[in-house]
Amino acid sequence: MYLRILLGVDSLVDLVKMLKKYNQEHLLGFYDELDEDGKTNLISQIKGIDFELISELYEMAQKGSDEKTDPSDIQPMAYTDKDEISSVNKDRYKAIGRKICENGEYAVVTMAGGQGTRLGHTGPKGTFDIGIGKSLFEIQCERIRNMGFNVPWYIMTSKENDADTKAFFEANNYFGYDKENIIFFTQRMLPMMLENGRIVLEEKNRIKEGADGHGGIFRAMIESGVLGDMKRRNIKWIFTCGIDNVLTRPNDLMFLGYVSEKGSMIGCKSLVKRGPSEKVGVFCKIKGKPSVIEYTEISEEMANMRDEKGNLVYGDAHILLNLFNISVFEKMGGRGLPYHVALKKTDYINEKGEKVLADKPNAYKFEAFIFDAFSYFDDIAILRVKREEEFAPVKNKEGEDSPKTALELYLNADK
Ligand code: UTP
């Protein structure tokens, strides 16, 4: 009855017809049991879903996800080793970077919309403390604040963690940073799907959605008005990073000057893979265009290939430390990047209304990757940096890339 009042009879009929068409009528399976808020929320979630896109993505997932790249299309990508830049040139680049900041042309975007499922921390990942009495957000804020330029700091959240993130900043008095220069924006969400093609109901009144990947930044910046805000402020260079690397250096003036001096529209930091089997994406050219190829997509032979000095030919890992000229966001426009699929573990409500606890990955999650934008450009500047100086990610609860390993690296590195 309530549904009729909310939507009007015609739209109710349309909605049910539409759900049937996409084989998703189970989403309203428990509708009559819900209270008014539950009904409203569920309907608003359903109305926000692009069912055509979701069924295309499901088909892609069924086919075995991403297509493999033809090895003959892949070539190595040139890079510059930071260690090989003379100190005179480093100082010159720093001065260029400083000028850009003094002119108010630099901004930072922290992508903090992920779910942090592997870490399993309650609350946004940026609120996590690796054991130094500071959250990941605070560590990043300190580095930006210490630059002394009042750099605009944009923080990308998702619908899932936006309110908690904002509340955390408020409760911590924005870490002493100018509140006017911290701007939050949200990225799109996509529903997760069980392997049988049904969208996941995580509760009878709620669809399980996940942020659409760090590649969602391009759309999100336009849809949220962030790009317009940057243009009004005359921003020219935007450093983008995640929230979970405690050695992220948004204050690296040398990198800023280096990329702008090279005339590249995109600059990326890379580091040498620990070995051929490390599970990271590496820089390369695909059909002549700059790209990052996932470890799952590269042949063993290529992963092991070495040059005359014994270095891996495809050995420069992408670590989500990228600098973009604002023209990149303009050129990308609202263009969506291709989605990749991953199988994740998620609990769900079955058709009988029972909660099923997942004991293995059972649902598809769709995500776009920021590096898929690189191939829209002819060239990017890659600066190879040192792992111990720039990369200490917090991904897992324990073991590799955990709070323990990140803490050790953090304590040993320059702050
Ligand atoms: P990861 O891909 O490592 O994901 O994100 P995650 O959410 O932190 O952790 P898992 O995979 O669920 O365990 C790298 C960075 O990109 C951001 C994350 O917040 C993190 O800072 N990210 C990821 C987004 O901002 N949005 C997304 O949709 C995905």
Side-chain angles (χ1 to χ4, degrees), residues 183-397:
I183 303 108
F184 299 93
F185 67 106
T186 51
Q187 63 180 122
R188 281 195 188 182
M189 307 285 284
L190 286 174
M192 289 178 71
M193 286 182 112
L194 294 174
E195 286 170 286
N196 63 9
R198 293 287 180 128
I199 288 175
V200 176
L201 263 186
E202 62 175 347
E203 295 299 340
K204 289 179 178 175
N205 63 357
R206 201 167 59 238
I207 291 167
K208 173 87 181 169
E209 293 181 288
D212 68 347
H214 41 61
I217 186 175
F218 296 101
R219 263 207 184 122
M221 278 187 41
I222 293 193
E223 289 175 352
S224 63
V226 158
L227 188 60
D229 185 63
M230 287 179 174
K231 283 199 212 158
R232 270 191 302 281
R233 292 174 187 244
N234 199 29
I235 303 292
K236 300 232 164 54
W237 291 98
I238 299 128
F239 179 72
T240 66
C241 57
I243 189 54
D244 52 6
N245 170 8
V246 296
L247 293 181
T248 294
R249 301 191 185 278
N251 51 346
D252 188 346
L253 298 177
M254 203 292 285
F255 180 53
L256 176 57
Y258 166 77
V259 177
S260 81
E261 171 82 348
K262 275 209 104 178
S264 297
M265 294 297 105
I266 302 180
C268 308
K269 289 187 175 177
S270 76
L271 47 82
V272 179
K273 261 175 93 167
R274 284 202 182 100
S277 56
E278 192 185 359
K279 292 180 175 170
V280 287
V282 290
F283 288 98
C284 64
K285 284 204 162 184
I286 298 179
K287 294 188 178 164
K289 296 285 190 179
S291 303
V292 170
I293 187 161
E294 284 290 355
Y295 64 93
T296 45
E297 285 181 70
I298 192 165
S299 68
E300 217 180 305
E301 191 192 338
M302 278 188 147
N304 280 282
M305 210 178 269
R306 293 189 185 264
D307 64 15
E308 63 288 352
K309 290 186 192 150
N311 298 319
L312 291 172
V313 171
Y314 298 99
D316 275 83
H318 172 260
I319 44 173
L320 207 59
L321 300 176
N322 302 317
L323 180 72
F324 295 99
N325 187 276
I326 193 153
S327 62
V328 172
F329 293 98
E330 285 165 347
K331 177 167 177 183
M332 291 304 293
R335 194 191 325 248
L337 291 170
Y339 286 108
H340 300 253
V341 59
L343 203 59
K344 302 253 176 172
K345 217 165 88 170
T346 193
D347 302 340
Y348 66 98
I349 302 288
N350 69 13
E351 316 247 327
K352 292 185 199 146
E354 302 152 344
K355 184 101 177 182
V356 179
L357 302 179
D359 54 3
K360 58 177 181 21
N362 60 339
Y364 296 123
K365 184 168 193 292
F366 306 105
E367 288 189 289
F369 298 152
I370 195 168
F371 50 73
D372 279 332
F374 298 166
S375 60
Y376 290 91
F377 298 83
D378 288 332
D379 207 6
I380 57 180
I382 298 177
L383 186 69
R384 185 189 271 187
V385 296
K386 284 208 171 72
R387 188 182 284 264
E388 63 275 20
E389 287 171 6
E390 311 238 7
F391 195 57
V394 186
K395 299 283 181 195
N396 307 307
K397 227 183 176 84

Side-chain angles (χ1 to χ4, degrees), residues 34-93:
L34 306 180
D35 62 18
E36 300 211 346
D37 280 352
K39 287 177 175 171
T40 312
N41 291 341
L42 184 62
I43 294 299
S44 116
Q45 266 193 307
I46 293 173
K47 286 171 132 188
I49 293 174
D50 180 344
F51 285 91
E52 200 55 50
L53 171 68
I54 285 300
S55 47
E56 278 168 26
L57 293 177
Y58 177 65
E59 239 174 76
M60 177 189 91
Q62 289 295 95
K63 273 193 214 144
S65 78
D66 309 328
E67 280 172 27
K68 296 270 178 278
T69 311
D70 184 338
S72 64
D73 288 336
I74 307 174
Q75 288 105 34
M77 176 95 196
Y79 64 88
T80 299
D81 194 325
K82 187 177 169 186
D83 273 355
E84 284 165 15
I85 301 178
S86 68
S87 52
V88 173
N89 276 337
K90 278 187 185 146
D91 286 346
R92 199 165 55 81
Y93 294 140

Side-chain angles (χ1 to χ4, degrees), residues 1-13 15-16 19 28 31-32 34 36 39-40 42-44 46-47:
M1 189 57 201
Y2 181 81
L3 183 64
R4 285 166 190 267
I5 295 163
L6 185 79
L7 296 167
V9 176
D10 286 349
S11 36
L12 165 66
V13 171
L15 191 76
V16 173
L19 288 179
L28 290 179
Y31 188 81
D32 291 341
L34 306 180
E36 300 211 346
K39 287 177 175 171
T40 312
L42 184 62
I43 294 299
S44 116
I46 293 173
K47 286 171 132 188

